[in-house]
Amino acid sequence: MSYGSVNLTKDPAKGSDAFVQSSQVRDDGDESGASSSSVEQADGSAPGEEEHQSAWQNFKGFYDRNLGLFFVFMAQVFASLMTMTTRLLETGFETKLHALQIIFVRMLATSVLGCLYMWYKKVPDFPLGRRDVRGLLVLRGLAGFTGLFCSYYSLSYLNISDATVISFLVPTMTAFICFVALREPFTVKEAMAGIVAFAGVLFIARPTFLFPQHREILPEERDMMLFVADEPKGIVPSVPATPAERSIAVLLSVLGSFAAAAAYSTIRVIGKRTHSLVSVNYFAVLATVGSCFIILVHPDLQFKIPQNATQWILLVAIGIAGFLLQFLLTEGLQREKAGRATNLIYTQMVFALVLERVVWGTTPPAESLFGSALIIGSAIWVSLQKNKTAANKKELVVDEERSLLGAAVAPVEEDRET
């Protein structure tokens, strides 16, 4: 049977009638065309306008679906810029700022802007949070301050790419701490991923007993060589570090990741009993007070005034970027699924490599790149394993800190209809 043809042989009269009707339609084409065009204009349903509306609806749908992902992406950009700015302030000028002073400026801006934002939005339990979790909030703030100090201090001797990738140990460490302290499951796969990740740390640290140091080429030997690779040049000169300084910096960076994992484990205990921004504000206020106190008490530390406009700009920028990091993560993860957002944290490594090449003109050696691949690969593998177990659970809005751990969030029962 063919649905594309019409049999006219059985009823010629009907065929002639159809021919007459079709001719009448053709004769009335000009008149009906004018009237139909006027109707289309009146109804606003012209073909061009329909295509325009369809394109706008598609763009709006794409915008709504990916706005949260864009916010999380921009948060990683600001995180990388903060890391770069911190290293520049610590090593790039004659007046070198201590890590504690940088923490003071960043967290002071975060606490002030965060308080204003929470006051404007009327965040519940602002500013102290619920009474039954205030002790946990203080513990979370102190652990976060310790982790931030270790991370920032290590930037005096570590490249930003190495410091960034070591921070990816936090999810595995958090899972282990929750296993020890909270009796949460810690699978063999997670343990294997942790071992692989720490092997990657060894490749980044490159201790001398595992990685013998190559002898540097002397200037007179360089003149006799036929082919010599040009030394990389960036905006500012690179900052060399001895193997001992590098090993200590890596150890501090790992300790900072462990402290951050302790902070995140505390957040898991707090759960949804306090708004995420209240938790962030505890962290910011305690870091501000703690860094100021240590600088005032320690005899070898003091607040240093920036000596030029560039230092002032970088110091102000790090405070603004710190607040934007927390704000964009909060807003982005309220709109985006935790799985997609968690995977975006690994874009920090790409930004760190680009910034390191542009600003300092350096590229990590093959050992560091291999260690970075081990750490990132193990973290992604653990995240994928957790996503499989959480695939059948309904996921509600979570705060930015718990989401970036890549861990499954326990579902919350829906409110029953009354």
Side-chain angles (χ1 to χ4, degrees):
M1 177 181 290
S2 175
Y3 292 96
S5 61
V6 179
N7 190 355
L8 300 177
T9 57
K10 293 183 179 179
D11 197 347
K14 291 183 180 180
S16 60
D17 293 341
F19 174 78
V20 172
Q21 291 176 0
S22 63
S23 61
Q24 290 177 353
V25 170
R26 286 195 300 270
D27 294 338
D28 297 340
D30 297 335
E31 298 178 0
S32 61
S35 60
S36 62
S37 62
S38 61
V39 171
E40 289 176 352
Q41 293 177 358
D43 296 340
S45 58
E49 294 181 0
E50 289 180 354
E51 293 178 359
H52 177 72
Q53 292 178 356
S54 177
W56 170 251
Q57 290 175 354
N58 292 335
F59 174 77
K60 189 175 183 300
F62 177 82
Y63 173 83
D64 292 336
R65 290 192 305 270
N66 297 282
L67 179 61
L69 205 63
F70 175 74
F71 282 164
V72 176
F73 174 81
M74 290 304 300
Q76 309 315 310
V77 173
F78 282 110
S80 300
L81 290 175
M82 275 199 309
T83 305
M84 177 201 71
T85 305
T86 300
R87 182 165 170 79
L88 281 175
L89 290 172
E90 291 179 357
T91 63
F93 301 91
E94 287 187 14
T95 303
K96 297 177 174 56
L97 301 184
H98 195 271
L100 287 171
Q101 183 172 349
I102 298 173
I103 291 173
F104 174 79
V105 173
R106 175 197 163 180
M107 288 306 178
L108 179 62
T110 301
S111 58
V112 171
L113 295 175
C115 287
L116 292 176
Y117 178 80
M118 286 188 287
W119 172 78
Y120 176 74
K121 289 292 186 179
K122 296 180 173 57
V123 172
D125 301 318
F126 169 74
L128 297 179
R130 285 175 47 174
R131 185 180 299 272
D132 57 335
V133 295
R134 289 175 185 173
L136 292 172
L137 288 170
V138 171
L139 179 61
R140 177 263 181 274
L142 293 176
F145 170 50
T146 303
L148 186 64
F149 168 73
C150 293
S151 176
Y152 274 20
Y153 189 82
S154 67
L155 286 171
S156 299
Y157 307 104
L158 273 183
N159 296 331
I160 60 174
S161 58
D162 292 339
T164 298
V165 77
I166 291 176
S167 68
F168 296 155
L169 294 173
V170 172
T172 302
M173 289 183 172
T174 304
F176 178 74
I177 292 175
C178 290
F179 167 72
V180 174
L182 305 179
R183 300 302 179 187
E184 292 189 1
F186 186 70
T187 63
V188 176
K189 293 181 179 179
E190 290 176 317
M192 293 173 58
I195 295 173
V196 172
F198 276 100
V201 172
L202 288 177
F203 279 92
I204 293 175
R206 297 191 293 279
T208 55
F209 65 90
L210 290 178
F211 298 86
Q213 299 296 312
H214 298 287
R215 185 176 64 87
E216 295 184 358
I217 301 176
L218 299 176
E220 53 271 17
E221 294 177 343
R222 182 179 294 272
D223 295 336
M224 298 176 60
M225 296 176 66
L226 295 178
F227 300 98
V228 180
D230 295 334
E231 294 185 358
K233 295 181 180 180
I235 300 175
V236 296
S238 60
V239 182
T242 64
E245 291 174 339
R246 183 178 182 83
S247 298
I248 293 174
V250 170
L251 183 62
L252 281 175
S253 186
V254 173
L255 180 61
S257 297
F258 183 82
Y264 291 141
S265 301
T266 307
I267 292 171
R268 291 181 65 84
V269 177
I270 296 172
K272 297 182 180 296
R273 290 180 286 177
T274 296
H275 195 279
S276 62
L277 288 179
V278 175
S279 172
V280 172
N281 198 52
Y282 263 84
F283 170 38
V285 171
L286 289 174
T288 302
V289 175
S291 58
C292 180
F293 177 78
I294 295 174
I295 292 175
L296 294 177
V297 171
H298 199 285
D300 297 333
L301 298 178
Q302 59 182 352
F303 284 101
K304 296 181 180 179
I305 300 176
Q307 299 299 312
N308 52 51
T310 303
Q311 274 189 304
W312 278 109
I313 293 173
L314 292 176
L315 203 58
V316 173
I318 199 171
I320 298 175
F323 172 74
L324 290 176
L325 167 63
Q326 299 293 344
F327 174 79
L328 290 171
L329 280 176
T330 302
E331 292 295 320
L333 289 165
Q334 285 178 351
R335 294 173 170 85
E336 186 54 61
K337 293 181 180 180
R340 295 176 68 194
T342 300
N343 293 331
L344 269 184
I345 68 173
Y346 304 111
T347 59
Q348 281 193 50
M349 186 62 187
V350 179
F351 300 143
L353 289 172
V354 173
L355 291 173
E356 192 172 305
R357 182 64 184 178
V358 172
V359 178
W360 288 276
T362 58
T363 303
E367 296 89 347
S368 288
L369 294 177
F370 181 72
S372 301
L374 291 179
I375 295 175
I376 295 176
S378 62
I380 293 177
W381 186 61
V382 171
S383 177
L384 293 176
Q385 297 299 319
K386 288 180 177 292
N387 288 338
K388 288 181 181 179
T389 60
N392 297 324
K393 295 181 180 180
K394 183 177 180 179
E395 187 173 9
L396 301 180
V397 175
V398 294
D399 65 72
E400 72 277 8
E401 294 169 313
R402 280 176 287 169
S403 297
L404 294 181
L405 296 178
V409 180
V412 180
E413 294 184 359
E414 298 180 355
D415 295 334
R416 296 181 179 179
E417 297 180 358
T418 57

